[in-house]
Amino acid sequence: MRFSKDHEWVRVEGGIATVGISVYAQEQLGDVVFVELPAVGRQVKQGDEAAVVESVKAASEVYAPVSGEVTEVNAALADTPALVNEDAEGKGWFMKIRLADAKEVDGLMDAAAYKKHTEGQH
Amino acid sequence: MADPGSLKTTPLNALHRSLGAKMVPFAGYDMPVQYPMGILGEHLHTRSQAGLFDVSHMGQARIVGSDAAKQLETLVPGDYQGLGLGRTRYSLLLDDKAGILDDLMATNRGDHLFVVVNASNKEADLAHMRARLKGVGIEYLEDRALMALQGPAAKTVMAKLSPGSTDMVFLSIRDLKIAGIDCLATRSGYTGEDGWEISVAARDAEALARALLAEPEVKPIGLGARDSLRLEAGLCLHGNDIDPTTTPIEADLAWTIGKRRREEGGFPGHAIVMRQLKDGATRKRVGIKPEDKAPARGHTPVADLAGATIGEITSGGFGPSVGGPVAMGYVAVQHAQPGTSIQTIVRGTLRPAKVVKMPFVQPNYHRG
């Protein structure tokens, strides 16, 4: 699993990146009450606003950590947005992106580097 | 973000930190936005049990003198000369165009009015009162804390810690001993629930808060849940829902203008208020219920079914007790009737919504 500086995670299998927000990010947001997901088929570039996650208090953008075509979104979040809190790095995934450039993944942080990144934010 | 070193603190700051609160700058103060329970849990706890809120950042003042009510009436449309001893009334500080400078609660204490104003406006409000009120003293009560105990179990807690206090009715005040501490409490609040707002000497604030929090029904509640609770209760937040660009009529607060005040006038903007009462205003504050799951927050544009802009949301978010999004805002009067279908424009997407009556939850005030 790799992480972006904006707190998205990426897990790559067979050229498809599953994307979500980190456990740290969901802790900062608090109770997630709504998730707006991109249309399947949309082309996103690394750093584009790809989704919106809303807590009771505020709406926050979720950026595409990698470029490519959105092939699937997590339909379960429509009825159960709390999955993002309960299992951020598992059942609370947001979308799958067919990688346009696998090298982008190498530029993301590994778990140890990401942990350091979040500790720097306190 | 403001430099934390420049922020003011309330007498409960150390307690908030010891309870694990997430602190944020608000109106120049270092305030708890939530505790480890989280906004959703804190909101629901307040509706089912009781929550304790630190609102010491708000301004508490006394207007002292035999003419206090008469003088305050020169700045607000509320009837304070007709307000009974020990009773509290909500009103609005207006400018000459009937714009709302602030909202306030003022209580008849016999030889003075006890006034509570918003944190963000308190300096401006005090300066305004000092400049405009004649023959009365304005005392800012800087050494007092203010906390609110809110929720259906508030009366259970008060029955235990302040025997005899629970026969107080909504919008009345009494000097009470709560857990042995001298307090000045009104039966009022900002959540739509029964409860008390309790003014206490700063030096006693932490002991009082600890005594209240020691009761099993009571949990500490932050500003996040305070906002979602008041939104569901349909209550205005000055700076969001009312401000100097909105009049009491546009804001659907005509009920705050006493009959005698309408007839006699003598408050700023009286002519404008009377004209809008007679002819109607061009826009009105209404409840807005999004019909899908997307919250529509402040500044979200509101459109008619053809997509033409008809107004704007001023407060909106997720209502935990409603279990979905809730909002309020201003729409052109022809769309202000409850039941009217409208649309919100959330991040460029038109979403269905309805104009609805507020509050979104049934109030639980103790009217006696």
Side-chain angles (χ1 to χ4, degrees):
Chain A
M1 192 178 272
R2 295 274 176 156
F3 297 88
S4 74
K5 65 173 173 36
D6 298 314
H7 311 287
E8 292 87 18
W9 58 261
V10 173
R11 190 186 290 119
V12 180
E13 280 168 290
I16 303 285
T18 303
V19 172
I21 66 166
S22 69
V23 169
Y24 172 84
Q26 69 78 25
E27 278 169 5
Q28 296 301 306
L29 286 168
D31 305 297
V32 172
V33 296
F34 180 74
V35 178
E36 187 172 296
L37 295 166
V40 170
R42 185 177 144 194
Q43 297 287 336
V44 293
K45 280 211 185 71
Q46 190 177 43
D48 280 357
E49 288 180 21
V52 176
V53 57
E54 303 213 23
S55 65
V56 179
K57 187 106 191 96
S60 309
E61 282 84 25
V62 176
Y63 302 98
V66 290
S67 307
E69 182 189 337
V70 176
T71 58
E72 195 181 338
V73 295
N74 186 358
L77 297 184
D79 285 328
T80 320
L83 285 173
V84 178
N85 298 114
E86 290 157 13
D87 191 9
E89 294 172 11
K91 290 193 185 104
W93 64 279
F94 278 42
M95 67 192 96
K96 296 189 180 185
I97 298 174
R98 181 177 293 119
L99 287 174
D101 178 2
K103 282 203 248 8
E104 283 180 351
V105 179
D106 300 334
L108 298 173
M109 287 175 267
D110 62 18
Y114 177 66
K115 187 161 181 282
K116 222 169 232 173
H117 173 67
T118 57
E119 283 162 1
Q121 303 211 337
H122 281 293
Chain B
M1 193 187 278
D3 168 16
S6 71
L7 290 173
K8 289 181 272 191
T9 56
T10 74
L12 298 180
N13 193 270
L15 178 61
H16 299 317
R17 291 174 178 279
S18 74
L19 293 168
K22 184 174 169 187
M23 306 297 288
V24 297
F26 181 81
Y29 283 80
D30 184 42
M31 295 298 288
V33 66
Q34 65 175 83
Y35 297 86
M37 187 189 271
I39 296 174
L40 199 66
E42 291 171 28
H43 177 116
L44 296 171
H45 182 86
T46 304
R47 291 252 187 268
S48 66
Q49 296 279 318
L52 185 68
F53 303 71
D54 180 13
V55 289
S56 302
H57 56 317
M58 297 185 78
Q60 303 178 67
R62 284 190 193 124
I63 305 175
V64 184
S66 53
D67 268 353
K70 197 173 175 183
Q71 282 294 309
L72 181 61
E73 284 189 358
T74 65
L75 302 182
V76 304
D79 181 356
Y80 284 100
Q81 294 189 71
L83 182 63
L85 183 65
R87 300 307 301 254
T88 300
R89 186 163 279 165
Y90 175 75
S91 198
L92 307 164
L93 282 171
L94 298 182
D95 68 18
D96 291 335
K97 293 183 171 139
I100 302 171
L101 297 170
D102 200 5
D103 57 353
L104 57 79
M105 300 291 275
T107 304
N108 178 0
R109 294 276 287 156
D111 60 352
H112 68 273
L113 287 170
F114 172 61
V115 181
V116 178
V117 299
N118 283 301
S120 325
N121 301 324
K122 63 184 177 185
E123 270 93 22
D125 291 349
L126 285 165
H128 182 61
M129 289 184 201
R130 285 185 173 129
R132 301 278 290 266
L133 302 186
K134 312 287 181 217
V136 293
I138 313 283
E139 297 171 7
Y140 177 41
L141 306 175
E142 209 164 358
D143 57 349
R144 291 188 77 79
L146 191 66
M147 58 192 92
L149 179 70
Q150 300 280 293
K155 62 178 181 293
T156 316
V157 173
M158 289 293 281
K160 185 171 166 195
L161 298 183
S162 188
S165 65
T166 54
D167 64 345
M168 289 174 67
V169 294
F170 184 54
L171 298 179
S172 69
I173 199 163
R174 199 177 286 175
D175 291 292
L176 294 177
K177 271 200 193 296
I178 305 174
I181 297 167
D182 286 319
C183 300
L184 177 62
T186 54
R187 198 152 190 179
S188 66
Y190 193 47
T191 59
E193 297 299 326
D194 183 22
W196 280 259
E197 287 194 349
I198 305 163
S199 173
V200 63
R203 64 177 179 278
D204 294 332
E206 187 171 330
L208 177 64
R210 285 187 185 278
L212 291 165
L213 288 169
E215 296 303 313
E217 297 90 348
V218 183
K219 298 284 179 213
I221 312 295
L223 292 180
R226 180 169 160 83
D227 193 51
S228 55
L229 287 159
R230 70 90 194 166
L231 173 59
E232 282 184 342
L235 300 169
C236 291
L237 173 62
H238 190 270
N240 281 36
D241 311 302
I242 49 176
D243 64 30
T245 71
T246 62
T247 71
I249 311 307
E250 292 170 341
D252 200 22
L253 296 173
W255 61 269
T256 67
I257 309 171
K259 182 166 176 284
R260 176 179 61 82
R261 303 305 316 278
R262 294 180 192 203
E263 288 161 7
E264 292 177 7
F267 59 87
H270 175 247
I272 294 169
V273 164
M274 293 312 289
R275 192 168 68 236
Q276 290 187 351
L277 271 174
K278 183 165 158 279
D279 302 337
T282 57
R283 58 176 184 159
K284 192 177 164 196
R285 183 178 63 94
V286 295
I288 294 171
K289 179 80 190 83
E291 294 196 292
D292 61 8
K293 292 182 176 177
R297 299 185 187 270
H299 305 297
T300 298
V302 178
D304 63 14
L305 293 183
T309 302
I310 55 166
E312 191 182 86
I313 285 174
T314 50
S315 286
F318 182 82
S321 302
V322 170
V326 290
M328 66 168 88
Y330 287 81
V331 296
V333 279
Q334 60 269 34
H335 301 282
Q337 197 62 30
T340 306
S341 291
I342 55 171
Q343 304 187 86
T344 61
I345 310 177
V346 178
R347 294 179 288 272
T349 302
L350 285 163
R351 292 183 174 274
K354 259 203 169 63
V355 173
V356 294
K357 274 197 179 133
M358 286 191 287
F360 293 98
V361 292
Q362 268 317 99
N364 188 26
Y365 306 128
H366 181 72
R367 294 187 188 273

